[in-house]
Amino acid sequence: AQKVTQAQTEISVVEKEDVTLDCVYETRDTTYYLFWYKQPPSGELVFLIRRNSFDEQNEISGRYSWNFQKSTSSFNFTITASQVVDSAVYFCALSEEGGGSEKLVFGKGMKLTVNP
Amino acid sequence: EPEVTQTPSHQVTQMGQEVILRCVPISNHLYFYWYRQILGQKVEFLVSFYNNEISEKSEIFDDQFSVERPDGSNFTLKIRSTKLEDSAMYFCASSEGSSVEGEQYFGPGTRLTVT
């Protein structure tokens, strides 16, 4: 069964601090996909990144970076030099390949508050 | 940039009433989904739809729920007899292909309040 665990429920930082959001997943499949979504206070879900299980290269996009480690089943997300606009709930999600569905299974989310 | 749209943004209904939530997926997408998020909780999968039929549904998606793609552009979620516990944000999502081919793009959500 698929499961995503975001152990941290809420983090508060001061602007310009770096912050890492943890995500641990469980799956029996060898092919799967991992995602991060951002949900700002306005409520929409904004796609940030998708990685497949065969690509363990870390990725950097501006102030965002992702560390995927299959050995520990983790897909952590780091925001460097955080800004107030980063304040949101961040969800990690997992999708398994096949079956014609590829539904997303979300973690419980982590609320990040960046204070000026 | 193409986006998923949802109407209405907020729906208030009385317990026992039927509601229809509407979504217009991105035009070239083939996979469609409904998720819901009870206030302050995680996003939960309800149903996926591909090739004009349900491909998977969760335990939440019981006989009170149905989905339809009536005209090739809209994708609707119907709740036949709403309950208080149906109060939630409902998100529609679409993707061009399976997880191999692309990510799911979400609409802005419809907040359903059942009184």
Side-chain angles (χ1 to χ4, degrees):
Chain A
Q2 307 166 60
K3 186 178 178 183
V4 175
T5 302
Q6 293 180 256
Q8 309 146 308
T9 53
E10 197 162 346
I11 292 179
S12 185
V13 299
V14 177
E15 218 172 6
K16 297 185 183 175
E17 280 187 52
D18 298 347
V19 58
T20 294
L21 315 181
D22 298 332
C23 174
V24 174
Y25 61 91
E26 294 177 30
T27 176
R28 293 198 188 105
D29 274 20
T30 54
T31 303
Y32 52 90
Y33 300 84
L34 295 163
F35 304 79
W36 277 95
Y37 283 84
K38 174 182 179 180
Q39 187 175 43
S42 48
E44 72 271 24
L45 285 164
V46 179
F47 166 78
L48 295 177
I49 189 170
R50 175 180 71 115
R51 299 307 298 273
N52 73 57
S53 52
F54 299 109
D55 184 2
E56 284 193 74
Q57 277 193 338
N58 291 333
E59 183 156 339
I60 298 174
S61 176
R63 296 184 296 107
Y64 295 171
S65 62
W66 291 270
N67 183 333
F68 176 25
Q69 293 197 343
K70 283 177 83 168
S71 60
T72 56
S73 297
S74 65
F75 186 45
N76 295 337
F77 172 30
T78 297
I79 301 174
T80 302
S82 59
Q83 300 176 0
V84 173
V85 294
D86 296 326
S87 296
V89 179
Y90 291 86
F91 291 96
C92 180
L94 166 71
S95 172
E96 293 173 344
E97 188 183 45
S101 170
E102 287 86 40
K103 67 183 180 193
L104 291 174
V105 173
F106 285 82
K108 291 185 177 180
M110 201 289 299
K111 183 178 180 181
L112 173 65
T113 302
V114 181
N115 297 301
Chain B
E1 186 175 325
E3 58 183 18
V4 177
T5 60
Q6 290 184 244
T7 54
S9 57
H10 191 189
Q11 173 91 46
V12 181
T13 189
Q14 287 190 329
M15 197 167 51
Q17 295 296 303
E18 173 183 288
V19 294
I20 297 177
L21 309 183
R22 291 183 166 79
C23 168
V24 179
I26 295 173
S27 62
N28 64 332
H29 285 189
L30 301 176
Y31 291 74
F32 313 109
Y33 307 82
W34 283 100
Y35 294 82
R36 80 169 186 192
Q37 184 182 30
I38 294 171
L39 186 63
Q41 298 187 22
K42 69 176 179 180
V43 180
E44 301 174 289
F45 168 77
L46 291 178
V47 65
S48 57
F49 193 86
Y50 170 71
N51 201 24
N52 283 319
E53 60 182 22
I54 290 174
S55 46
E56 187 175 356
K57 57 185 180 180
S58 71
E59 292 175 354
I60 302 167
F61 195 88
D62 61 22
D63 291 345
Q64 293 300 312
F65 290 87
S66 62
V67 289
E68 198 176 34
R69 189 156 161 79
D71 56 12
S73 61
N74 291 283
F75 180 51
T76 62
L77 173 70
K78 182 194 289 187
I79 309 175
R80 286 189 187 82
S81 179
T82 50
K83 302 187 277 268
L84 293 176
E85 54 264 38
D86 293 328
S87 294
M89 181 75 92
Y90 288 81
F91 290 103
C92 173
S94 69
S95 61
E96 191 171 355
S98 66
S99 296
V100 177
E101 295 152 7
E103 54 275 5
Q104 294 178 27
Y105 289 91
F106 283 77
T110 292
R111 180 166 297 285
L112 176 65
T113 303
V114 182
T115 61

